[in-house]
Amino acid sequence: MKPTWSANQYVTFEDERTRPVRDLLAAVPPIAAQQVIDIGCGPGNSTEVLAARYPGAAVYGIDSSQDMIAAALARGMAGASFVVEDIEHWLQAGESAAGGPRFDVILANAVLQWVRKHERVLPALAGRLAPGGALTVQVPNNLNEPAHRLMREIASDGPWASKLAPAVATRTSVGEPNWYHELLSGAGYRTDVWQTTYYHPLPGGVSAVVEWFKGSGLRPFLDKLSADEQGDYLARYQEALTRHFAVLPDGSVLLPFPRLFIVAVHR
Ligand SMILES: C[S@@+](CC[C@H](N)C(=O)[O-])C[C@H]1O[C@@H](n2cnc3c(N)ncnc32)[C@H](O)[C@@H]1O
């Protein structure tokens, strides 16, 4: 089941969501890039960072959501091309076009958690690199954090349980860092894997945590519910969160957010 996306909701926390892109690209060795692509480019926030890092390169962005691509186009980034396309289709099209385009940098920031079969998809993405190019990936590794555990628990324990059963399994589990290292270094890439937990101060308190996940992890759940059910579900979610998050004296909460990073360089 594919969730629907709202660019407006997503960009509410744009700076926090874009920081991993800056940290990821900062770890890429120097490359005189001519062609770069942002897979799952969303509203173009990650593409802007990619374009700024490689100012001489032709920049492409693909995303399966029309709403996201419309928002990316609305940024009016000179020299960037955006199309609505699913990563699977993009990979298949590349495989069937022998000698098809190769990219110096492929960025996939905060998208592969929605894509199955990492054991196939990561090497397939790396297979689209030009010699010396870099595959750069960041995936949220937060399925066991309270904010995610609670959205699943409330989904499984309410009048909506059967309706939400498929949503509970929408996200792909992220593997261990060693597994990604072995997958890509075993395929011949120079690989750098690390994990970081960000602690995002959210000024709105617990309701800001709800707003954050309305733009990402909650999408598959909310998509399945009527407006009334959404209200009930979110009220229960917010109430459960208040038991897990300490509100700081200034009214904010700290949202812990573990993320896994991978850079794989074509030798
Ligand atoms: C969390 S947003 C990340 C946006 C942006 N890359 C960033 O760094 O903030 C995830 C994006 O992945 C897109 N997406 C999810 N599954 C996809 C797929 N199978 N193919 C292409 N895009 C996908 C969604 O539409 C959404 O825009």
Side-chain angles (χ1 to χ4, degrees):
M1 186 188 84
K2 285 207 187 301
T4 60
W5 287 88
S6 156
N8 260 347
Q9 186 71 33
Y10 188 73
V11 297
T12 312
F13 298 98
E14 176 164 329
D15 191 46
E16 291 85 348
R17 295 195 203 272
T18 309
R19 181 170 165 198
V21 187
R22 298 190 287 267
D23 294 348
L24 177 61
L25 293 181
V28 179
I31 295 175
Q34 294 179 348
Q35 302 232 79
V36 299
I37 185 160
D38 187 2
I39 308 280
C41 62
N45 56 317
S46 43
T47 327
E48 267 181 1
V49 181
L50 183 64
R53 174 77 199 272
Y54 301 104
V59 178
Y60 303 90
I62 66 162
D63 197 287
S64 54
S65 155
Q66 286 196 346
D67 193 58
M68 288 294 199
I69 289 295
L73 287 167
R75 284 182 193 242
M77 287 174 57
S81 312
F82 291 99
V83 283
V84 177
E85 188 161 19
D86 191 279
I87 183 173
E88 291 288 356
H89 182 261
W90 184 79
L91 285 171
Q92 278 163 20
E95 276 156 20
S96 56
R102 292 282 179 264
F103 295 88
D104 301 296
V105 178
I106 299 176
L107 170 66
N109 188 66
V111 57
L112 295 185
Q113 71 275 24
W114 302 107
V115 177
R116 302 250 176 245
K117 300 207 182 300
H118 286 184
E119 69 281 11
R120 176 177 57 76
V121 167
L122 274 116
L125 283 170
R128 301 294 306 277
L129 291 173
L135 170 65
T136 64
V137 173
Q138 182 274 125
V139 267
N141 197 1
N142 59 350
L143 281 183
N144 293 324
E145 291 294 305
H148 266 273
R149 221 172 7 82
L150 290 170
M151 66 179 85
R152 293 195 299 273
E153 281 175 19
I154 293 165
S156 308
D157 175 32
W160 39 63
S162 59
K163 221 195 283 196
L164 292 187
V168 169
T170 307
R171 277 267 300 256
T172 302
S173 304
V174 171
E176 290 296 321
N178 302 18
W179 184 83
Y180 290 99
H181 175 79
E182 283 167 30
L183 178 70
L184 289 162
S185 64
Y189 298 92
R190 201 167 68 242
T191 306
D192 183 10
V193 180
W194 71 100
Q195 192 154 272
T196 300
T197 300
Y198 296 91
Y199 288 83
H200 297 297
L202 302 183
V206 166
S207 57
V209 179
V210 179
E211 289 307 309
W212 177 294
F213 287 107
K214 275 166 75 178
S216 53
L218 283 168
R219 304 302 312 168
F221 300 94
L222 300 181
D223 278 353
K224 289 280 176 199
L225 299 176
S226 68
D228 282 351
E229 287 172 326
Q230 286 185 10
D232 293 347
Y233 177 93
L234 290 174
R236 278 187 58 184
Y237 182 55
Q238 178 152 341
E239 196 269 323
L241 289 174
T242 56
R243 283 182 261 120
H244 283 271
F245 284 87
V247 179
L248 303 178
D250 66 357
S252 66
V253 295
L254 272 186
L255 174 65
F257 207 121
R259 296 179 182 269
L260 179 75
F261 295 78
I262 304 165
V263 174
V265 178
H266 189 294
R267 291 174 197 268

